[in-house]
Amino acid sequence: MKIPKADVLLVEDSAAEARLALEALQETRFPVQLHVASDGVQAMDFLRRQAPYQDAPRPQLVLLDLNLPRKDGREVLHDIKADEDLRRIPVVVLTTSKAQSDISRAYELHANCYIQKPLELDGFIEIVKSIHRYWLQMAELPA
Amino acid sequence: MLLAALALLPLAGLVFFNAEMQRREAAAQAEGDALRLARVCSNNEERTVESADRLLALMAEVPVVKALDARACGPLFARVLGNEAGYANLGLLDAQGNVVASAKPVVMRTPLEQRAFFSQAREKGKFAVSDFALEPDGERAEMMCGDAVRMEDGRVAGVIFVELNLAWMEDLGSRLDLQSGVTLSVLDRNGIILMRIPEPRHWVGRSALEAAAGRAILQRRGFGTADEQGMDGVRRLFAFTPLDSRDGLGDFVSAGIPDELAFSAARRSEHRQLVMLAVFGVTAFAAAWFLADILVLRGVRMLLRATQKVAAGDLQTRAGPVHGGGEFRELAQAFDTMAASIEVQSRERDAAEQELEKRVVQRTAELAEANRMLQEEIAERGRIGAELRVSKERLDLALKGTNDGIWDWDLVTGRVYFSPRWKEMLGCAEEEVGDTMKEWETRLHPDDRERAFLTLQEYLSGKRAAFQLDHRLRHKDGSYRWILSRAVAVRDEAGKPLRMAGSHVDLTERRLAEQALRESESKLRVFVTNVPAILFSIDRNGVITMVEGRGSGVLSGADGSIVGHSVAELYGDVPGLVESVRRALTGESFSTTMQLQQRHFDIAYSPIEAPAGTVTGVIGVAHDITERILARQELERTAEELRRSNAELEQFAYIASHDLQEPLRMVASYTQLLERRYAAQLDDAAREFIGYAVDGAKRMQAFITGLLRYSRVGTEPRVLEEVNLQSVFEAAVANLRIAIEESGARVESRDLPVVRGDPRQLTQVFQNLIGNALKFRKRDTPPRVEARAERTRDFWLVSVRDNGIGLDPRFSERVFIIFQRLHTRDECEGTGLGLAICKKIVERHGGRIWVESKEGEGATFSFTLPVRPEA
């Protein structure tokens, strides 16, 4: 039986980061379809299915970096949580920042979780696994 | 007979002359007495006015008086008046003449502000008096003395006054125990009686011009004597003098001694002498008659005897041959002729004899009478002398009472009377001073000599209207006393001085006090001139009346001074200054800052208020705060720079925590991905290289994190709260749980107190210290860490002791410096930041940190935390 792939939107401006996330996901072999938006504007267009994303699926999870060009991760978070259609999608902030101000700000904007990316690959793979296990397997999300 | 009558004439003349001499002497004595009496009064009055002057000068300096504080002044005046018996009232008027306060209610016929003393004291700003005026009841005369009360700026705020009356004269009268009929009166310039003893109530208010005596006093306008009828019809010898010789107020004091009293002795003596003369005259005439009778009978008897002798044929006579018969008639005629001749001769001889005899008798009687008269006169003189002694004693008593020395110089005889007090003032006993002007001359201070003689000379010659001399006289102890000498002269019609009498007042104490005051004022001036501020006052028209203080030079205008110029004229272009002065003139006290000629001033204004609530001016203090302002600006600039630098650091910290970590992550993660994906193709060397790369990235990350933490200690807002060090310690242990378990360490704490501090930072301190203890442990010994605290007076001393490898004391300073490491990376992991962070945290808490150790014998890290940290 083929499990349908879960759609996950990764908002990340660094191609290297995005690639690393993809590679880490491959290491887990989870059935996840990773969509990448390289800035906040693209991310919102994707979520709202605006050109060129008219056919974009509604993701089950958003992985959001904070520092983005054009539209900042915090604004994206605010827009998602202010949007009635989008606010139910869990948003996991995934960033290298460990600044207390960033953490606080993210939760104030109703981020569902805040995770700092570790330095080493093993740690990162472990986090990707955890996210998958928790948000996509354990947690019951609204349809 | 004629001869007898003629002989009486010179005798009668002698009697009258003698009486006149006595009369004159009595008059002179009475005059002297009266003059002394009048002088006692005027001295007393001068002294009263003088002490009023002193009292007022003193009172005018009392702060509550200066402030015209009505509530405080009332009781003060009442108290002062209670102590000063000589005054009828004491009070304070404001500049408009309204009564601010007074010891007793002020009831006056003429409003006070219209009286001369008020206007003079206010305009001239010094002591002034009004002449005596009758009070509304017409029974008493009062006199006002006033003195200006000055504000700090020297302007007159009001006038303080005392009311004097002449009640003291009644006391004086009863003290002197004046003989009946003797009067003392004070007249004003119009001859109205202001005071008279005895019976003041009967006489006060009446015009003395009704009587000849009063007219004479007014006519002479000063001093002199008169023998005139007084108002009660009694003839008296009056002596009079101005009540106060120093001013031209025109009140006179007059003493009258009834002629009856003055001349009674002389008159009694004259009367007696006349009676004696009469008795003697009658006797003389009787004697003359008797002698004449005897002379005739004798002549007859002598004729008879001669006739008988001749008839008896006296050979000696020529009649012998004449007794012949027929020629009797002829003989008789011859005899008659002869007898007549004999009779004439005999009468002439007898008359001469008689005259001689009479003269002897007369002379004897004269001598007897003269002797008797002499005796009587001696007795009389004795009586007068006794009376004089008594009156002199009284005078002495009075003079003693006045505290002034008195001198009385008779220019005719050159004799001078010096009162006991005069002598006492110079330390001399009664008998140590003679009775000539030499006594005064020889005691003169050499420097005052010329001036003293000149003053005296000018006064005696009439060049000088009043004699007043401030000079020094040598005291018996060799020191010099400052003496104020005042005197008046009695002159004859030609203006030639006959007599000069005056008083001495010892001013030495006052002079010393004045000198002390001058010194104190000069001290104050030195202070005021040098105070590092500007003191100023401005009047109600905005005119600057005073500028003092060391800073005031800055304000001086081109012509040197700004005093006398208005604020608007000088500083009209300075924003807000004129408005500030105006605001202060409305009665508001406030401070403000102002920029003036490139200088900044902090100016405190405070209004000067009259009791009525009107503001009469403004005083203020200006501090030059230019340096302070510049320093503050500099400080603000520095603070701003610091804020900017902190903000930049924050920014850097953020970059460090995020942007710097991303590339590191890429290096580490992709290197590891490489190893993971291509493990089969890699040899050991490649794997080792990958290991170094990842390790480098990790160390880089550790440095970044440490630096971040280190910088945050200084930039994070300081939140001090009550912190239980025990909890903090336990939190640190919990954070290090894995390392502690791995090393098998025993970590303990004892007596950790509650302090004020930042719990997160203090946790960091313990964590770093314990972490170090675990890191630098001895290879074969399980680590032991013990934290304890003890209290000194101002600090908690917290120590963390371990049993690790210790360190060389040489490096005990160096370990706290950032990035300074004692060990190679191969020996021990570490960034060289932990202790630097500890040091920074402890110092931020107001404490200090140090280490005591020996290599190989463990280390004790100690730090202090203040018991009461500064805010």
Side-chain angles (χ1 to χ4, degrees):
Chain A
M1 176 183 118
K2 180 132 173 112
I3 302 168
K5 280 192 173 181
D7 289 296
V8 171
L9 174 64
L10 172 67
V11 189
E12 173 62 68
D13 63 320
S14 158
E17 281 281 1
R19 178 64 192 267
L20 192 61
L22 201 63
E23 294 301 329
L25 206 57
Q26 272 184 21
E27 291 290 318
T28 64
R29 302 177 200 283
F30 289 141
V32 169
Q33 177 64 47
L34 192 67
H35 307 270
V36 177
S38 60
D39 64 43
V41 176
Q42 269 188 28
M44 290 315 293
D45 287 347
F46 183 90
L47 288 170
R48 288 180 175 150
R49 294 184 180 131
Q50 286 162 347
Y53 303 108
Q54 292 90 339
D55 303 321
R58 174 63 39 100
Q60 276 97 325
L61 186 69
V62 176
L63 298 175
L64 181 65
D65 190 11
L66 285 180
N67 295 341
L68 300 171
R70 293 218 284 168
K71 190 172 195 138
D72 192 71
R74 296 163 193 84
E75 289 172 76
V76 174
L77 184 57
H78 172 265
D79 288 355
I80 293 173
K81 293 303 175 183
D83 189 312
E84 278 193 32
D85 290 338
L86 304 177
R87 65 167 57 143
R88 282 169 295 184
I89 304 171
V91 178
V92 171
V93 175
L94 195 62
T95 176
T96 45
S97 171
K98 217 173 121 181
Q100 200 58 40
S101 55
D102 281 341
I103 298 170
S104 306
R105 181 86 186 114
Y107 283 111
E108 277 164 22
L109 292 169
H110 308 291
N112 297 73
C113 183
Y114 187 106
I115 293 171
Q116 196 208 7
K117 289 186 264 191
L119 188 71
E120 292 179 77
L121 184 64
D122 290 349
F124 189 55
I125 291 170
E126 199 52 47
I127 281 170
V128 170
K129 278 184 184 165
S130 298
I131 289 171
H132 185 267
R133 193 159 57 242
Y134 181 80
W135 290 106
L136 300 177
Q137 290 183 330
M138 279 169 64
E140 291 294 339
L141 299 174
Chain B
M1 289 299 286
L2 193 63
L3 284 170
L6 278 173
L8 278 176
L9 271 177
L11 202 58
L14 194 69
V15 168
F16 281 115
F17 174 72
N18 196 9
E20 184 53 28
M21 285 308 282
Q22 282 199 11
R23 212 181 137 78
R24 276 197 200 162
E25 203 175 310
Q29 260 173 18
E31 212 177 281
D33 286 352
L35 192 66
R36 281 201 190 123
L37 210 50
R39 283 296 303 164
V40 167
C41 287
S42 75
N43 266 327
N44 209 345
E45 173 63 17
E46 283 171 18
R47 207 168 63 86
T48 309
V49 172
E50 221 170 71
S51 57
D53 184 359
R54 284 194 286 259
L55 175 75
L56 291 182
L58 199 70
M59 296 294 292
E61 293 305 316
V62 175
V64 293
V65 174
K66 280 182 111 64
L68 303 184
D69 183 341
R71 263 190 302 178
C73 282
L76 172 70
F77 292 165
R79 213 162 52 239
V80 172
L81 195 69
N83 291 337
E84 302 276 342
Y87 310 118
N89 200 355
L90 170 64
L92 179 62
L93 306 173
D94 67 14
Q96 285 73 43
N98 304 311
V99 177
V100 176
S102 64
K104 290 178 183 172
V106 177
V107 187
M108 292 285 161
R109 184 181 280 174
T110 312
L112 287 177
E113 70 268 23
Q114 293 175 18
R115 301 281 296 269
F117 83 91
F118 174 74
S119 52
Q120 281 180 17
R122 193 183 55 175
E123 308 312 335
K124 295 184 183 161
K126 58 180 191 182
F127 182 73
V129 296
S130 292
D131 21 351
F132 277 100
L134 287 172
E135 278 183 12
D137 57 13
E139 285 191 351
R140 281 193 171 209
E142 49 70 22
M143 172 184 164
M144 307 299 297
C145 298
D147 202 349
V149 175
R150 290 170 179 284
M151 291 177 286
E152 301 307 330
D153 61 5
R155 278 173 316 113
V156 175
V159 171
I160 185 160
F161 68 90
V162 288
E163 181 186 334
L164 307 179
N165 58 32
L166 294 165
W168 54 267
M169 275 183 69
E170 289 182 71
D171 298 343
L172 186 70
S174 65
R175 215 168 55 197
L176 290 178
D177 190 16
L178 296 172
Q179 276 174 284
S180 154
V182 174
T183 62
L184 271 175
S185 323
V186 176
L187 310 183
D188 74 5
R189 70 178 82 214
N190 300 316
I192 302 297
I193 299 178
L194 300 175
M195 184 67 191
R196 182 196 191 265
I197 53 170
E199 300 174 309
R201 268 145 208 77
H202 182 63
W203 297 103
V204 167
R206 291 176 60 176
S207 170
L209 295 177
E210 291 171 25
R215 289 192 291 276
I217 293 170
L218 267 286
Q219 205 175 2
R220 306 252 189 106
R221 286 245 148 248
F223 39 77
T225 57
D227 185 0
E228 296 287 0
Q229 210 157 46
M231 288 189 68
D232 52 4
V234 176
R235 219 179 152 80
R236 287 185 177 83
L237 261 174
F238 287 98
F240 38 90
T241 181
L243 184 56
D244 192 328
S245 61
R246 291 162 304 177
D247 46 44
L249 285 183
D251 297 324
F252 309 110
V253 58
S254 141
I257 298 178
D259 285 7
E260 192 62 39
L261 197 65
F263 298 135
S264 59
R267 201 168 277 166
R268 269 200 305 280
S269 163
E270 180 188 18
H271 181 69
R272 258 194 311 276
Q273 286 180 20
L274 279 175
V275 169
M276 287 312 296
L277 192 64
V279 169
F280 180 69
V282 168
T283 319
F285 273 104
W289 280 113
F290 177 67
L291 285 174
D293 188 37
I294 287 187
L295 192 71
V296 171
L297 291 174
R298 257 194 176 182
V300 172
R301 272 201 301 276
M302 280 171 74
L303 184 63
L304 272 171
R305 210 166 42 226
T307 308
Q308 283 166 353
K309 267 186 191 169
V310 171
D314 188 345
L315 292 177
Q316 297 284 314
T317 61
R318 291 176 203 167
V322 180
H323 285 287
E327 288 176 342
F328 180 78
R329 196 181 155 86
E330 222 176 296
L331 274 170
Q333 270 183 332
F335 181 80
D336 280 352
T337 307
M338 187 192 67
S341 168
I342 292 168
E343 190 189 335
V344 167
Q345 282 173 8
S346 160
R347 264 174 66 184
E348 278 176 353
R349 193 184 58 230
D350 286 356
E353 274 176 11
Q354 177 60 38
E355 181 60 28
L356 195 68
E357 195 179 334
K358 193 181 80 187
R359 280 198 182 169
V360 169
V361 172
Q362 200 175 315
R363 186 71 195 140
T364 309
E366 235 178 76
L367 284 172
E369 179 58 21
N371 190 33
R372 202 186 51 75
M373 272 164 48
L374 195 64
Q375 293 297 329
E376 254 192 33
E377 197 178 309
I378 288 169
E380 184 66 21
R381 282 263 164 95
R383 268 200 302 285
I384 292 171
E387 275 173 26
L388 270 180
R389 263 199 310 283
V390 171
S391 101
K392 184 173 178 306
E393 276 165 16
R394 284 182 197 136
L395 189 64
D396 285 349
L397 214 60
L399 294 184
K400 244 178 212 163
T402 67
N403 206 34
D404 293 355
I406 299 290
W407 54 277
D408 186 352
W409 179 22
D410 185 336
L411 275 83
V412 179
T413 63
R415 298 255 176 257
V416 189
Y417 164 79
F418 296 109
S419 76
R421 175 71 188 123
W422 192 99
K423 298 170 183 172
E424 185 196 331
M425 216 173 260
L426 301 176
C428 293
E430 180 66 30
E431 65 279 4
E432 284 177 293
V433 179
D435 62 353
T436 63
M437 282 303 270
K438 278 256 173 299
E439 301 292 344
W440 173 68
E441 286 173 30
T442 54
R443 287 176 167 84
L444 271 171
H445 191 284
D447 296 347
D448 297 345
R449 205 174 168 76
E450 200 175 324
R451 189 167 49 85
F453 279 121
L454 190 70
T455 308
L456 182 61
Q457 190 53 47
E458 284 180 354
Y459 177 68
L460 288 176
S461 66
K463 253 170 137 184
R464 197 181 270 271
F467 179 79
Q468 176 154 343
L469 176 65
D470 206 358
H471 65 318
R472 281 162 290 182
L473 291 180
R474 198 180 58 248
H475 191 271
K476 194 181 171 189
D477 65 13
S479 69
Y480 281 92
R481 309 292 293 177
W482 274 103
I483 305 281
L484 174 64
S485 180
R486 284 174 306 203
V488 286
V490 178
R491 298 168 194 267
D492 63 12
E493 284 78 3
K496 186 171 168 259
L498 302 175
R499 185 168 170 183
M500 188 167 170
S503 61
H504 271 189
V505 181
D506 189 340
L507 295 183
T508 312
E509 305 309 323
R510 199 204 289 190
R511 283 258 176 172
L512 289 176
E514 280 169 2
Q515 195 182 340
L517 188 66
R518 267 199 302 278
E519 276 168 13
S520 132
E521 270 176 359
S522 94
K523 264 184 216 157
L524 188 63
R525 177 132 302 274
V526 168
F527 171 73
V528 164
T529 316
N530 292 297
V531 69
I534 302 169
L535 314 175
F536 62 88
S537 66
I538 297 169
D539 71 11
R540 75 175 94 185
N541 301 317
V543 173
I544 297 171
T545 51
M546 183 204 81
V547 175
E548 287 290 354
R550 212 172 57 202
S552 58
V554 181
L555 294 181
S556 298
D559 57 343
S561 176
I562 58 172
V563 171
H565 298 273
S566 82
V567 174
E569 161 200 343
L570 290 167
Y571 306 116
D573 56 342
V574 178
L577 184 49
V578 174
E579 287 72 14
S580 292
V581 172
R582 205 168 287 152
R583 188 173 144 205
L585 281 170
T586 65
E588 194 182 337
S589 286
F590 63 96
S591 291
T592 177
T593 55
M594 195 125 295
Q595 201 177 348
L596 204 65
Q597 295 166 353
Q598 275 90 52
R599 310 292 297 174
H600 294 269
F601 293 97
D602 186 352
I603 309 178
Y605 296 92
S606 73
I608 309 166
E609 284 182 48
T614 53
V615 177
T616 58
V618 176
I619 55 170
V621 181
H623 285 278
D624 189 334
I625 52 165
T626 312
E627 309 307 325
R628 214 192 303 163
I629 295 257
L630 292 178
R632 199 169 66 201
Q633 283 172 353
E634 181 62 31
L635 202 65
E636 275 167 12
R637 259 199 301 280
T638 313
E640 179 53 38
E641 265 170 34
L642 199 64
R643 267 195 296 278
R644 201 152 38 78
S645 144
N646 271 351
E648 278 171 7
L649 204 62
E650 276 296 301
Q651 189 59 30
F652 165 76
Y654 187 79
I655 291 165
S657 73
H658 184 271
D659 296 345
L660 287 186
Q661 306 231 17
E662 267 189 6
L664 276 180
R665 219 170 77 78
M666 292 303 102
V667 171
S669 297
Y670 276 105
T671 317
Q672 285 174 333
L673 189 61
L674 207 59
E675 187 185 25
R676 201 178 182 101
R677 292 277 168 86
Y678 306 99
Q681 284 109 301
L682 296 177
D683 59 7
D684 286 350
R687 274 192 288 277
E688 194 181 346
F689 298 163
I690 287 170
Y692 285 140
V694 173
D695 188 46
K698 274 155 106 179
R699 273 170 53 211
M700 186 66 179
Q701 194 196 31
F703 275 128
I704 291 170
T705 314
L707 263 181
L708 198 59
R709 201 172 291 142
Y710 182 78
S711 80
R712 274 191 183 146
V713 171
T715 56
E716 272 176 353
R718 204 155 58 133
V719 187
L720 293 186
E721 53 191 75
E722 296 289 318
V723 179
N724 188 338
L725 276 188
Q726 186 59 39
S727 316
V728 161
F729 178 82
E730 282 160 13
V733 170
N735 289 347
L736 294 166
R737 192 175 47 83
I738 296 168
I740 291 169
E741 281 169 3
E742 276 175 6
S743 63
R746 221 169 86 200
V747 182
E748 291 167 341
S749 69
R750 272 212 322 224
D751 309 326
L752 294 181
V754 173
V755 298
R756 273 186 75 76
D758 179 329
R760 234 158 45 82
Q761 291 187 346
L762 291 175
T763 306
Q764 183 81 59
V765 171
F766 276 122
Q767 194 172 320
N768 288 4
L769 293 178
I770 298 167
N772 272 358
L774 303 179
K775 201 185 289 175
F776 300 109
R777 64 173 179 262
K778 284 182 180 158
R779 219 174 280 274
D780 47 359
T781 316
R784 277 194 61 182
V785 184
E786 187 189 32
R788 55 191 297 177
E790 57 185 289
R791 165 138 188 205
T792 67
R793 204 167 66 90
D794 299 321
F795 288 94
W796 283 107
L797 175 65
V798 184
S799 338
V800 178
R801 192 166 63 172
D802 64 48
N803 61 346
I805 57 174
L807 57 100
D808 188 330
R810 276 186 299 163
F811 304 123
S812 56
E813 297 281 337
R814 209 176 144 186
V815 289
F816 295 103
I817 300 171
I818 191 166
F819 293 138
Q820 294 289 331
R821 293 155 45 90
L822 299 182
H823 305 274
T824 63
R825 242 189 50 73
D826 295 337
E827 290 170 321
C828 277
E829 294 276 331
T831 55
L833 274 162
L835 287 175
I837 290 172
C838 285
K839 184 169 191 277
K840 204 166 176 185
I841 291 173
V842 168
E843 284 173 356
R844 217 166 129 80
H845 278 76
R848 55 186 205 92
I849 188 167
W850 67 96
V851 61
E852 289 157 297
S853 177
K854 269 189 198 166
E855 205 147 15
E857 293 185 15
T860 303
F861 283 86
S862 303
F863 61 94
T864 56
L865 292 172
V867 169
R868 263 170 297 154
E870 71 276 21

